[in-house]
Amino acid sequence: MITTDQTVRTFLEFFRDRGHELTPSSSLIPPPGDPVLFTTSGMHPLTPYLMGTPHPLGSRLTGLQRCLRTTDLDEIGDDTHLTVFEMLGSWSLGDYDGPRSLRWGYELLRDGFSIRPDRMHVTVFGGDHEVDPDHRSWETWSDLGVPIEPTTHDNWWSNGPIGLCGPDSEIFVWTGPESPHGTPTTDDRWVEVWNHVMLTYLRHEDGTLQPLPRPSIDTGLGLERLVRILQSQPSVHNIDILHPWRTLLPQTWGPLDEPSLRLLTDHLRSTIVILSDGITPSPTGRGYVLRRLIRRTLTTLWHTNPTHTLTDLPFELFEHTLDRFRQPSDPTDIRTLLFDEERKFTQLLDRGRKVLSQNRFNGPLTPEQYRYLHDTHGLPSDLIGYLRVENNTDTGESSSQPNLR
Ligand code: SER
């Protein structure tokens, strides 16, 4: 069975053999001026170079980048999404074109990773009122004999509302037990593994599209998703690098149902990586995303048993995660930051329980009461809902699990 590390090596060596230099991976904090809160794709650290600045390593690059996506939070716990994940990438900074990139992508999946061609499907940009259909990608895939589905929105990639963008072509691999059928938009057993973006335009504030004088290619392959397929596993949660979590969490906290085990694994792993990139919990911005991840972890954990605590989280899971993401932080420091946040949240909930036990908070709450509880006691509405469910005073207006979005 091919391991995650072997998968990374195979990818990087394939591109190095084709003249690509290895770019070092960066933190989850994108470079200044980038419109996104977190690095959501391998290309973020390269934005200035994709815009035209010459890269010191040349015009062909490859690398492995940790990414964080909060847009997928509702899907956490399914078979394909993780909040923090790794993306393998290849880039042509004005060097070769889209068809070259697609042909290499196909070759690597078929010959390097032994994925059968009849288990592949691709999508291409079908055109819209601004940009013509991506004929060149269409011709390339037709020539290679891979089935194609055209789409519009799903095959347009942009780095936020303004900035670099262009048509893309996505490669899907069939994950069902029977013979492949349907198309990527009609059957979700077609799992997207690799996106090839033709970065051809710059979107301005006023919405206009400016063709780039030097178009580039940006590809991103979801490492855990590919490994799930290569290791014939039912979900990304079952691949080799997540084994320590699947083994040690139930050993620590007793049997956990599958959704809780997946959520705890995903959020705790993400929390360790975010803390190690120097972000601390706070009421706004990146720190707030982190705070909500930790709070959701805790409410899920306490749902299984209210006496459980993160202080019991095995030290080796901190070490394993920092090692996986090549982060130099001291695991003891990360552990301390996590415990501090647990303590603060416990204190906030204790205060909230006292306040909400007053008779005037029985029954449905008015908007003024919500405002008062938020402004005076620091209780956001989702936490009020959580405490009221716990207290049996909930009237159905809020959810029992604080929602992260
Ligand atoms: N930027 C593209 C994506 O995130 C390819 O890496 O899908």
Side-chain angles (χ1 to χ4, degrees):
M1 181 189 76
I2 186 167
T3 64
T4 298
D5 286 337
Q6 284 165 343
T7 305
V8 171
R9 270 201 299 279
T10 303
F11 183 98
L12 298 178
E13 273 166 23
F14 179 90
F15 281 101
R16 293 187 82 165
D17 287 349
R18 286 155 185 78
H20 295 64
E21 293 295 325
L22 182 66
T23 57
S25 57
S26 303
S27 90
L28 287 174
I29 305 174
D34 202 298
V36 296
L37 204 55
F38 285 102
T39 294
T40 55
S41 167
M43 53 73 70
H44 285 297
L46 297 173
T47 305
Y49 308 106
L50 292 163
M51 306 266 287
T53 307
H55 194 286
L57 292 173
S59 60
R60 294 184 180 197
L61 303 173
T62 188
L64 176 67
Q65 174 63 45
R66 57 180 169 276
C67 299
L68 183 151
R69 288 198 180 172
T70 49
T71 44
D72 295 336
L73 272 184
D74 282 346
E75 281 152 336
I76 293 309
D78 72 6
D79 296 334
T80 52
H81 292 88
L82 293 168
T83 306
V84 165
F85 60 97
E86 291 187 277
M87 198 184 268
L88 284 157
S90 60
W91 296 277
S92 153
L93 307 178
D95 190 315
Y96 53 86
D97 61 8
R100 174 73 278 157
S101 182
L102 298 178
R103 284 179 187 278
W104 275 339
Y106 178 73
E107 184 186 335
L108 176 55
L109 291 179
R110 187 194 57 188
D111 302 340
F113 293 121
S114 306
I115 294 179
R116 279 176 26 204
D118 66 348
R119 296 178 82 84
M120 290 189 223
H121 204 306
V122 296
T123 57
V124 300
F125 182 66
D128 63 11
H129 64 287
E130 286 182 300
V131 177
D132 287 341
D134 182 0
H135 295 297
R136 298 196 68 209
S137 296
W138 187 285
E139 280 158 17
T140 306
W141 289 123
S142 302
D143 188 43
L144 292 169
V146 182
I148 309 166
E149 180 177 34
T151 86
T152 306
H153 298 301
D154 288 351
N155 283 103
W156 182 264
W157 195 86
S158 57
N159 180 26
I162 56 165
L164 292 165
C165 55
D168 66 31
S169 183
E170 299 174 351
I171 308 175
F172 293 73
V173 177
W174 177 254
T175 57
E178 64 284 271
S179 308
H181 55 265
T183 66
T185 65
T186 59
D187 195 319
D188 61 11
R189 285 170 297 180
W190 286 108
V191 170
E192 183 203 336
V193 293
W194 200 350
N195 190 10
H196 292 237
V197 187
M198 326 309 155
L199 287 174
T200 326
Y201 300 96
L202 200 57
R203 172 87 65 190
H204 293 286
E205 296 270 6
D206 64 4
T208 51
L209 272 187
Q210 179 198 338
L212 288 168
R214 193 208 63 175
S216 290
I217 305 294
D218 153 42
T219 88
L221 181 149
L223 175 62
E224 296 85 352
R225 281 189 188 185
L226 177 66
V227 171
R228 170 213 163 173
I229 291 163
L230 300 180
Q231 295 183 355
S232 303
Q233 291 298 334
S235 107
V236 287
H237 289 269
N238 300 91
I239 67 173
D240 56 353
I241 55 170
L242 288 176
H243 279 169
W245 287 90
R246 286 189 83 75
T247 315
L248 290 174
L249 290 191
Q251 273 177 24
T252 308
W253 290 316
L256 294 162
D257 59 62
E258 184 66 19
S260 300
L261 176 58
R262 287 186 181 193
L263 186 137
L264 292 173
T265 299
D266 175 82
H267 284 19
L268 281 167
R269 197 167 165 263
S270 303
T271 295
I272 293 170
V273 179
I274 300 170
L275 284 168
S276 304
D277 270 347
I279 299 158
T280 48
S282 70
T284 55
R286 297 186 184 101
Y288 191 55
V289 173
L290 172 61
R291 171 158 284 169
R292 311 245 11 203
L293 284 169
I294 299 174
R295 288 182 175 185
R296 202 177 186 203
T297 301
L298 285 165
T299 53
T300 303
L301 183 63
W302 293 331
H303 194 66
T304 67
N305 182 332
T307 66
H308 285 338
T309 159
L310 295 180
T311 47
D312 294 328
L313 189 63
F315 194 68
E316 70 185 270
L317 290 178
F318 289 88
E319 293 176 313
H320 172 74
T321 306
L322 295 176
D323 190 42
R324 172 74 239 153
F325 288 90
R326 302 162 300 285
Q327 291 176 295
S329 307
D330 182 338
T332 313
D333 296 341
I334 302 306
R335 208 167 169 234
T336 305
L337 290 168
L338 182 62
F339 299 166
D340 281 351
E341 186 61 9
E342 176 174 0
R343 200 177 48 247
K344 282 187 193 144
F345 189 46
T346 309
Q347 288 165 354
L348 175 67
L349 289 180
D350 286 345
R351 279 200 308 277
R353 280 187 193 102
K354 274 203 198 95
V355 175
L356 289 171
S357 66
Q358 297 167 27
N359 281 345
R360 64 185 170 127
F361 295 120
N362 282 340
L365 298 182
T366 63
E368 289 71 36
Q369 284 178 311
Y370 273 112
R371 226 180 349 266
Y372 163 80
L373 289 166
H374 181 267
D375 295 350
T376 311
H377 297 285
L379 292 170
S381 59
D382 53 358
L383 274 192
I384 297 170
Y386 173 75
L387 289 170
R388 280 157 64 81
V389 166
E390 191 187 75
N391 226 5
N392 285 326
T393 49
D394 181 62
T395 52
E397 77 264 44
S398 299
S399 70
S400 61
Q401 290 284 320
N403 190 341
L404 280 152
R405 302 188 69 193

